[in-house]
Amino acid sequence: MIGVLEPAIPHLKALHIAMLVLWCGGLFALPLMLSLHDDAIGQADYSRVRRATHYGYTLVVTPAAVAAIASGTALIFLREVFVAWMFAKLVFVALLVAFHAWVGHTLVSVAETEGTHRPPAALLPLFLLLVPVLGILTLVLAKPDLGRIPLPAWLETPRELQLPFDVPSR
């Protein structure tokens, strides 16, 4: 089955990279846009900024995130990249997803509490976003051998325990 899909791998990789650029670019832009949510700029400008952040998040950044994660997951299985650096990368992807959720929460808070919720200044969120982005880039480009990192024995050996629920048989 994987052999049949092998010609699609370069296209899937291109889709993955394009969606990552949109996702990360949007995550860098949204805190800057959120910092413009100020009643002092006038109602028309405030409404314009509010609509731009809302539609940017819901129509561009979130679909790009879903497509990036879906194509990345498919690439993991198609290329059979079950190595330590990939699992470390997935930790940084989880941080990226958490940042994405925080931006969405902040957008909703600003919208639902008109004038009372102030988003943080853009500088701190942007520096926090650099951690997962640079971590992902470092791991993907360097593909370091993380096998030398000592792990506890319980992580390296099967436990041979039953799942805490019944798995239906086919």
PDB file of all heavy atoms in Angstrom, residues 75-103:
ATOM      1  N   LEU A  75       2.942  11.862   6.297  1.00  0.00           N
ATOM      2  CA  LEU A  75       4.360  11.713   5.941  1.00  0.00           C
ATOM      3  C   LEU A  75       5.101  10.817   6.933  1.00  0.00           C
ATOM      4  O   LEU A  75       5.975  10.045   6.540  1.00  0.00           O
ATOM      5  CB  LEU A  75       5.032  13.079   5.868  1.00  0.00           C
ATOM      6  CG  LEU A  75       4.761  13.886   4.604  1.00  0.00           C
ATOM      7  CD1 LEU A  75       5.240  15.312   4.770  1.00  0.00           C
ATOM      8  CD2 LEU A  75       5.404  13.228   3.397  1.00  0.00           C
ATOM      9  N   ILE A  76       4.768  10.936   8.200  1.00  0.00           N
ATOM     10  CA  ILE A  76       5.421  10.072   9.206  1.00  0.00           C
ATOM     11  C   ILE A  76       5.195   8.605   8.863  1.00  0.00           C
ATOM     12  O   ILE A  76       6.128   7.805   8.889  1.00  0.00           O
ATOM     13  CB  ILE A  76       4.896  10.389  10.625  1.00  0.00           C
ATOM     14  CG1 ILE A  76       5.412  11.734  11.104  1.00  0.00           C
ATOM     15  CG2 ILE A  76       5.310   9.297  11.607  1.00  0.00           C
ATOM     16  CD1 ILE A  76       4.780  12.209  12.406  1.00  0.00           C
ATOM     17  N   PHE A  77       3.970   8.262   8.501  1.00  0.00           N
ATOM     18  CA  PHE A  77       3.672   6.865   8.219  1.00  0.00           C
ATOM     19  C   PHE A  77       4.156   6.437   6.837  1.00  0.00           C
ATOM     20  O   PHE A  77       4.611   5.306   6.664  1.00  0.00           O
ATOM     21  CB  PHE A  77       2.175   6.595   8.380  1.00  0.00           C
ATOM     22  CG  PHE A  77       1.760   6.609   9.821  1.00  0.00           C
ATOM     23  CD1 PHE A  77       1.119   7.708  10.362  1.00  0.00           C
ATOM     24  CD2 PHE A  77       2.032   5.523  10.637  1.00  0.00           C
ATOM     25  CE1 PHE A  77       0.745   7.719  11.695  1.00  0.00           C
ATOM     26  CE2 PHE A  77       1.666   5.535  11.984  1.00  0.00           C
ATOM     27  CZ  PHE A  77       1.021   6.635  12.505  1.00  0.00           C
ATOM     28  N   LEU A  78       4.067   7.336   5.848  1.00  0.00           N
ATOM     29  CA  LEU A  78       4.541   6.974   4.512  1.00  0.00           C
ATOM     30  C   LEU A  78       6.053   6.805   4.465  1.00  0.00           C
ATOM     31  O   LEU A  78       6.564   5.942   3.765  1.00  0.00           O
ATOM     32  CB  LEU A  78       4.095   8.022   3.491  1.00  0.00           C
ATOM     33  CG  LEU A  78       2.620   8.009   3.128  1.00  0.00           C
ATOM     34  CD1 LEU A  78       2.277   9.190   2.234  1.00  0.00           C
ATOM     35  CD2 LEU A  78       2.245   6.705   2.447  1.00  0.00           C
ATOM     36  N   ARG A  79       6.763   7.673   5.167  1.00  0.00           N
ATOM     37  CA  ARG A  79       8.233   7.604   5.178  1.00  0.00           C
ATOM     38  C   ARG A  79       8.765   6.719   6.301  1.00  0.00           C
ATOM     39  O   ARG A  79       9.953   6.496   6.396  1.00  0.00           O
ATOM     40  CB  ARG A  79       8.822   9.023   5.332  1.00  0.00           C
ATOM     41  CG  ARG A  79       8.495  10.004   4.227  1.00  0.00           C
ATOM     42  CD  ARG A  79       9.194   9.693   2.920  1.00  0.00           C
ATOM     43  NE  ARG A  79      10.606   9.452   3.041  1.00  0.00           N
ATOM     44  CZ  ARG A  79      11.559  10.377   2.936  1.00  0.00           C
ATOM     45  NH1 ARG A  79      11.235  11.612   2.692  1.00  0.00           N
ATOM     46  NH2 ARG A  79      12.819  10.044   3.073  1.00  0.00           N
ATOM     47  N   GLU A  80       7.869   6.263   7.174  1.00  0.00           N
ATOM     48  CA  GLU A  80       8.223   5.415   8.317  1.00  0.00           C
ATOM     49  C   GLU A  80       9.340   6.046   9.162  1.00  0.00           C
ATOM     50  O   GLU A  80      10.356   5.434   9.443  1.00  0.00           O
ATOM     51  CB  GLU A  80       8.602   4.012   7.840  1.00  0.00           C
ATOM     52  CG  GLU A  80       7.456   3.303   7.163  1.00  0.00           C
ATOM     53  CD  GLU A  80       7.803   1.914   6.667  1.00  0.00           C
ATOM     54  OE1 GLU A  80       8.968   1.495   6.763  1.00  0.00           O
ATOM     55  OE2 GLU A  80       6.878   1.252   6.178  1.00  0.00           O
ATOM     56  N   VAL A  81       9.104   7.288   9.545  1.00  0.00           N
ATOM     57  CA  VAL A  81      10.075   8.042  10.334  1.00  0.00           C
ATOM     58  C   VAL A  81       9.729   7.888  11.807  1.00  0.00           C
ATOM     59  O   VAL A  81       9.199   8.804  12.429  1.00  0.00           O
ATOM     60  CB  VAL A  81      10.073   9.538   9.926  1.00  0.00           C
ATOM     61  CG1 VAL A  81      11.201  10.284  10.603  1.00  0.00           C
ATOM     62  CG2 VAL A  81      10.166   9.698   8.428  1.00  0.00           C
ATOM     63  N   PHE A  82      10.031   6.739  12.360  1.00  0.00           N
ATOM     64  CA  PHE A  82       9.756   6.465  13.768  1.00  0.00           C
ATOM     65  C   PHE A  82      11.082   6.503  14.521  1.00  0.00           C
ATOM     66  O   PHE A  82      11.579   5.483  14.997  1.00  0.00           O
ATOM     67  CB  PHE A  82       9.062   5.116  13.930  1.00  0.00           C
ATOM     68  CG  PHE A  82       7.790   5.020  13.143  1.00  0.00           C
ATOM     69  CD1 PHE A  82       7.698   4.181  12.041  1.00  0.00           C
ATOM     70  CD2 PHE A  82       6.689   5.778  13.480  1.00  0.00           C
ATOM     71  CE1 PHE A  82       6.532   4.095  11.310  1.00  0.00           C
ATOM     72  CE2 PHE A  82       5.512   5.705  12.753  1.00  0.00           C
ATOM     73  CZ  PHE A  82       5.438   4.860  11.663  1.00  0.00           C
ATOM     74  N   VAL A  83      11.661   7.695  14.594  1.00  0.00           N
ATOM     75  CA  VAL A  83      12.964   7.876  15.233  1.00  0.00           C
ATOM     76  C   VAL A  83      12.829   8.922  16.337  1.00  0.00           C
ATOM     77  O   VAL A  83      11.848   9.663  16.396  1.00  0.00           O
ATOM     78  CB  VAL A  83      14.038   8.308  14.207  1.00  0.00           C
ATOM     79  CG1 VAL A  83      14.342   7.173  13.243  1.00  0.00           C
ATOM     80  CG2 VAL A  83      13.600   9.532  13.446  1.00  0.00           C
ATOM     81  N   ALA A  84      13.841   8.985  17.191  1.00  0.00           N
ATOM     82  CA  ALA A  84      13.769   9.836  18.385  1.00  0.00           C
ATOM     83  C   ALA A  84      13.596  11.314  18.033  1.00  0.00           C
ATOM     84  O   ALA A  84      12.824  12.022  18.696  1.00  0.00           O
ATOM     85  CB  ALA A  84      15.007   9.631  19.240  1.00  0.00           C
ATOM     86  N   TRP A  85      14.300  11.817  17.012  1.00  0.00           N
ATOM     87  CA  TRP A  85      14.184  13.246  16.705  1.00  0.00           C
ATOM     88  C   TRP A  85      12.762  13.593  16.261  1.00  0.00           C
ATOM     89  O   TRP A  85      12.292  14.699  16.513  1.00  0.00           O
ATOM     90  CB  TRP A  85      15.220  13.707  15.681  1.00  0.00           C
ATOM     91  CG  TRP A  85      15.026  13.181  14.285  1.00  0.00           C
ATOM     92  CD1 TRP A  85      15.652  12.111  13.726  1.00  0.00           C
ATOM     93  CD2 TRP A  85      14.161  13.716  13.271  1.00  0.00           C
ATOM     94  NE1 TRP A  85      15.213  11.929  12.436  1.00  0.00           N
ATOM     95  CE2 TRP A  85      14.308  12.909  12.133  1.00  0.00           C
ATOM     96  CE3 TRP A  85      13.288  14.790  13.222  1.00  0.00           C
ATOM     97  CZ2 TRP A  85      13.606  13.131  10.959  1.00  0.00           C
ATOM     98  CZ3 TRP A  85      12.582  15.014  12.047  1.00  0.00           C
ATOM     99  CH2 TRP A  85      12.748  14.199  10.930  1.00  0.00           C
ATOM    100  N   MET A  86      12.074  12.653  15.617  1.00  0.00           N
ATOM    101  CA  MET A  86      10.693  12.921  15.188  1.00  0.00           C
ATOM    102  C   MET A  86       9.773  13.036  16.398  1.00  0.00           C
ATOM    103  O   MET A  86       8.907  13.903  16.453  1.00  0.00           O
ATOM    104  CB  MET A  86      10.207  11.822  14.249  1.00  0.00           C
ATOM    105  CG  MET A  86       8.760  12.003  13.821  1.00  0.00           C
ATOM    106  SD  MET A  86       8.394  13.580  13.027  1.00  0.00           S
ATOM    107  CE  MET A  86       9.192  13.351  11.475  1.00  0.00           C
ATOM    108  N   PHE A  87       9.979  12.190  17.397  1.00  0.00           N
ATOM    109  CA  PHE A  87       9.138  12.266  18.587  1.00  0.00           C
ATOM    110  C   PHE A  87       9.434  13.542  19.382  1.00  0.00           C
ATOM    111  O   PHE A  87       8.531  14.133  19.965  1.00  0.00           O
ATOM    112  CB  PHE A  87       9.298  11.007  19.433  1.00  0.00           C
ATOM    113  CG  PHE A  87       8.830   9.781  18.704  1.00  0.00           C
ATOM    114  CD1 PHE A  87       9.710   8.763  18.398  1.00  0.00           C
ATOM    115  CD2 PHE A  87       7.515   9.660  18.295  1.00  0.00           C
ATOM    116  CE1 PHE A  87       9.284   7.642  17.710  1.00  0.00           C
ATOM    117  CE2 PHE A  87       7.072   8.545  17.605  1.00  0.00           C
ATOM    118  CZ  PHE A  87       7.964   7.529  17.306  1.00  0.00           C
ATOM    119  N   ALA A  88      10.697  13.973  19.381  1.00  0.00           N
ATOM    120  CA  ALA A  88      11.031  15.255  20.011  1.00  0.00           C
ATOM    121  C   ALA A  88      10.374  16.401  19.246  1.00  0.00           C
ATOM    122  O   ALA A  88       9.876  17.362  19.841  1.00  0.00           O
ATOM    123  CB  ALA A  88      12.546  15.434  20.059  1.00  0.00           C
ATOM    124  N   LYS A  89      10.344  16.292  17.922  1.00  0.00           N
ATOM    125  CA  LYS A  89       9.695  17.317  17.105  1.00  0.00           C
ATOM    126  C   LYS A  89       8.207  17.396  17.434  1.00  0.00           C
ATOM    127  O   LYS A  89       7.629  18.479  17.494  1.00  0.00           O
ATOM    128  CB  LYS A  89       9.884  17.005  15.622  1.00  0.00           C
ATOM    129  CG  LYS A  89       9.139  17.955  14.717  1.00  0.00           C
ATOM    130  CD  LYS A  89       9.061  17.427  13.307  1.00  0.00           C
ATOM    131  CE  LYS A  89       8.053  18.253  12.535  1.00  0.00           C
ATOM    132  NZ  LYS A  89       7.593  17.624  11.332  1.00  0.00           N
ATOM    133  N   LEU A  90       7.585  16.245  17.666  1.00  0.00           N
ATOM    134  CA  LEU A  90       6.159  16.231  17.983  1.00  0.00           C
ATOM    135  C   LEU A  90       5.857  16.936  19.305  1.00  0.00           C
ATOM    136  O   LEU A  90       4.772  17.487  19.476  1.00  0.00           O
ATOM    137  CB  LEU A  90       5.630  14.800  17.985  1.00  0.00           C
ATOM    138  CG  LEU A  90       5.613  14.117  16.611  1.00  0.00           C
ATOM    139  CD1 LEU A  90       5.128  12.681  16.737  1.00  0.00           C
ATOM    140  CD2 LEU A  90       4.787  14.891  15.613  1.00  0.00           C
ATOM    141  N   VAL A  91       6.818  16.949  20.221  1.00  0.00           N
ATOM    142  CA  VAL A  91       6.651  17.712  21.464  1.00  0.00           C
ATOM    143  C   VAL A  91       6.571  19.200  21.141  1.00  0.00           C
ATOM    144  O   VAL A  91       5.719  19.930  21.663  1.00  0.00           O
ATOM    145  CB  VAL A  91       7.801  17.412  22.449  1.00  0.00           C
ATOM    146  CG1 VAL A  91       7.775  18.366  23.628  1.00  0.00           C
ATOM    147  CG2 VAL A  91       7.735  15.970  22.920  1.00  0.00           C
ATOM    148  N   PHE A  92       7.436  19.660  20.240  1.00  0.00           N
ATOM    149  CA  PHE A  92       7.400  21.070  19.846  1.00  0.00           C
ATOM    150  C   PHE A  92       6.148  21.397  19.033  1.00  0.00           C
ATOM    151  O   PHE A  92       5.609  22.501  19.127  1.00  0.00           O
ATOM    152  CB  PHE A  92       8.666  21.450  19.072  1.00  0.00           C
ATOM    153  CG  PHE A  92       9.880  21.565  19.946  1.00  0.00           C
ATOM    154  CD1 PHE A  92      10.898  20.633  19.866  1.00  0.00           C
ATOM    155  CD2 PHE A  92      10.014  22.597  20.857  1.00  0.00           C
ATOM    156  CE1 PHE A  92      12.017  20.728  20.672  1.00  0.00           C
ATOM    157  CE2 PHE A  92      11.118  22.710  21.665  1.00  0.00           C
ATOM    158  CZ  PHE A  92      12.130  21.773  21.576  1.00  0.00           C
ATOM    159  N   VAL A  93       5.658  20.442  18.242  1.00  0.00           N
ATOM    160  CA  VAL A  93       4.398  20.644  17.516  1.00  0.00           C
ATOM    161  C   VAL A  93       3.260  20.800  18.522  1.00  0.00           C
ATOM    162  O   VAL A  93       2.365  21.635  18.330  1.00  0.00           O
ATOM    163  CB  VAL A  93       4.141  19.484  16.530  1.00  0.00           C
ATOM    164  CG1 VAL A  93       2.739  19.571  15.945  1.00  0.00           C
ATOM    165  CG2 VAL A  93       5.178  19.490  15.411  1.00  0.00           C
ATOM    166  N   ALA A  94       3.295  20.022  19.599  1.00  0.00           N
ATOM    167  CA  ALA A  94       2.271  20.161  20.644  1.00  0.00           C
ATOM    168  C   ALA A  94       2.319  21.558  21.269  1.00  0.00           C
ATOM    169  O   ALA A  94       1.274  22.147  21.564  1.00  0.00           O
ATOM    170  CB  ALA A  94       2.456  19.082  21.709  1.00  0.00           C
ATOM    171  N   LEU A  95       3.520  22.100  21.450  1.00  0.00           N
ATOM    172  CA  LEU A  95       3.643  23.475  21.962  1.00  0.00           C
ATOM    173  C   LEU A  95       3.073  24.475  20.971  1.00  0.00           C
ATOM    174  O   LEU A  95       2.443  25.469  21.356  1.00  0.00           O
ATOM    175  CB  LEU A  95       5.106  23.804  22.265  1.00  0.00           C
ATOM    176  CG  LEU A  95       5.738  23.086  23.448  1.00  0.00           C
ATOM    177  CD1 LEU A  95       7.229  23.415  23.538  1.00  0.00           C
ATOM    178  CD2 LEU A  95       5.030  23.442  24.733  1.00  0.00           C
ATOM    179  N   LEU A  96       3.272  24.218  19.681  1.00  0.00           N
ATOM    180  CA  LEU A  96       2.712  25.083  18.643  1.00  0.00           C
ATOM    181  C   LEU A  96       1.183  25.029  18.668  1.00  0.00           C
ATOM    182  O   LEU A  96       0.516  26.067  18.544  1.00  0.00           O
ATOM    183  CB  LEU A  96       3.245  24.632  17.286  1.00  0.00           C
ATOM    184  CG  LEU A  96       3.364  25.641  16.169  1.00  0.00           C
ATOM    185  CD1 LEU A  96       4.235  26.813  16.577  1.00  0.00           C
ATOM    186  CD2 LEU A  96       3.921  24.970  14.933  1.00  0.00           C
ATOM    187  N   VAL A  97       0.634  23.852  18.864  1.00  0.00           N
ATOM    188  CA  VAL A  97      -0.818  23.695  18.967  1.00  0.00           C
ATOM    189  C   VAL A  97      -1.341  24.416  20.210  1.00  0.00           C
ATOM    190  O   VAL A  97      -2.387  25.074  20.165  1.00  0.00           O
ATOM    191  CB  VAL A  97      -1.204  22.201  18.980  1.00  0.00           C
ATOM    192  CG1 VAL A  97      -2.666  22.004  19.350  1.00  0.00           C
ATOM    193  CG2 VAL A  97      -0.913  21.569  17.626  1.00  0.00           C
ATOM    194  N   ALA A  98      -0.613  24.322  21.322  1.00  0.00           N
ATOM    195  CA  ALA A  98      -1.023  25.027  22.545  1.00  0.00           C
ATOM    196  C   ALA A  98      -1.009  26.535  22.331  1.00  0.00           C
ATOM    197  O   ALA A  98      -1.922  27.247  22.777  1.00  0.00           O
ATOM    198  CB  ALA A  98      -0.107  24.638  23.705  1.00  0.00           C
ATOM    199  N   PHE A  99      -0.005  27.048  21.627  1.00  0.00           N
ATOM    200  CA  PHE A  99       0.051  28.479  21.341  1.00  0.00           C
ATOM    201  C   PHE A  99      -1.130  28.866  20.445  1.00  0.00           C
ATOM    202  O   PHE A  99      -1.752  29.912  20.641  1.00  0.00           O
ATOM    203  CB  PHE A  99       1.384  28.838  20.668  1.00  0.00           C
ATOM    204  CG  PHE A  99       1.570  30.315  20.493  1.00  0.00           C
ATOM    205  CD1 PHE A  99       2.090  31.087  21.507  1.00  0.00           C
ATOM    206  CD2 PHE A  99       1.218  30.946  19.307  1.00  0.00           C
ATOM    207  CE1 PHE A  99       2.253  32.459  21.364  1.00  0.00           C
ATOM    208  CE2 PHE A  99       1.373  32.306  19.141  1.00  0.00           C
ATOM    209  CZ  PHE A  99       1.898  33.070  20.171  1.00  0.00           C
ATOM    210  N   HIS A 100      -1.431  28.029  19.467  1.00  0.00           N
ATOM    211  CA  HIS A 100      -2.571  28.264  18.575  1.00  0.00           C
ATOM    212  C   HIS A 100      -3.867  28.358  19.392  1.00  0.00           C
ATOM    213  O   HIS A 100      -4.680  29.256  19.172  1.00  0.00           O
ATOM    214  CB  HIS A 100      -2.649  27.116  17.561  1.00  0.00           C
ATOM    215  CG  HIS A 100      -3.731  27.257  16.555  1.00  0.00           C
ATOM    216  ND1 HIS A 100      -3.500  27.734  15.293  1.00  0.00           N
ATOM    217  CD2 HIS A 100      -5.052  26.986  16.606  1.00  0.00           C
ATOM    218  CE1 HIS A 100      -4.631  27.754  14.612  1.00  0.00           C
ATOM    219  NE2 HIS A 100      -5.589  27.294  15.394  1.00  0.00           N
ATOM    220  N   ALA A 101      -4.036  27.449  20.341  1.00  0.00           N
ATOM    221  CA  ALA A 101      -5.232  27.469  21.184  1.00  0.00           C
ATOM    222  C   ALA A 101      -5.272  28.721  22.049  1.00  0.00           C
ATOM    223  O   ALA A 101      -6.343  29.315  22.246  1.00  0.00           O
ATOM    224  CB  ALA A 101      -5.274  26.217  22.051  1.00  0.00           C
ATOM    225  N   TRP A 102      -4.114  29.149  22.558  1.00  0.00           N
ATOM    226  CA  TRP A 102      -4.081  30.368  23.379  1.00  0.00           C
ATOM    227  C   TRP A 102      -4.493  31.578  22.551  1.00  0.00           C
ATOM    228  O   TRP A 102      -5.238  32.439  23.029  1.00  0.00           O
ATOM    229  CB  TRP A 102      -2.684  30.577  23.971  1.00  0.00           C
ATOM    230  CG  TRP A 102      -2.571  31.884  24.669  1.00  0.00           C
ATOM    231  CD1 TRP A 102      -2.995  32.187  25.931  1.00  0.00           C
ATOM    232  CD2 TRP A 102      -2.052  33.098  24.126  1.00  0.00           C
ATOM    233  NE1 TRP A 102      -2.752  33.513  26.197  1.00  0.00           N
ATOM    234  CE2 TRP A 102      -2.181  34.097  25.102  1.00  0.00           C
ATOM    235  CE3 TRP A 102      -1.495  33.440  22.892  1.00  0.00           C
ATOM    236  CZ2 TRP A 102      -1.769  35.407  24.895  1.00  0.00           C
ATOM    237  CZ3 TRP A 102      -1.082  34.738  22.683  1.00  0.00           C
ATOM    238  CH2 TRP A 102      -1.225  35.713  23.681  1.00  0.00           C
ATOM    239  N   VAL A 103      -4.020  31.656  21.306  1.00  0.00           N
ATOM    240  CA  VAL A 103      -4.401  32.779  20.439  1.00  0.00           C
ATOM    241  C   VAL A 103      -5.915  32.762  20.216  1.00  0.00           C
ATOM    242  O   VAL A 103      -6.576  33.807  20.293  1.00  0.00           O
ATOM    243  CB  VAL A 103      -3.634  32.730  19.095  1.00  0.00           C
ATOM    244  CG1 VAL A 103      -4.221  33.707  18.086  1.00  0.00           C
ATOM    245  CG2 VAL A 103      -2.161  33.038  19.302  1.00  0.00           C
TER     246      VAL A 103
END
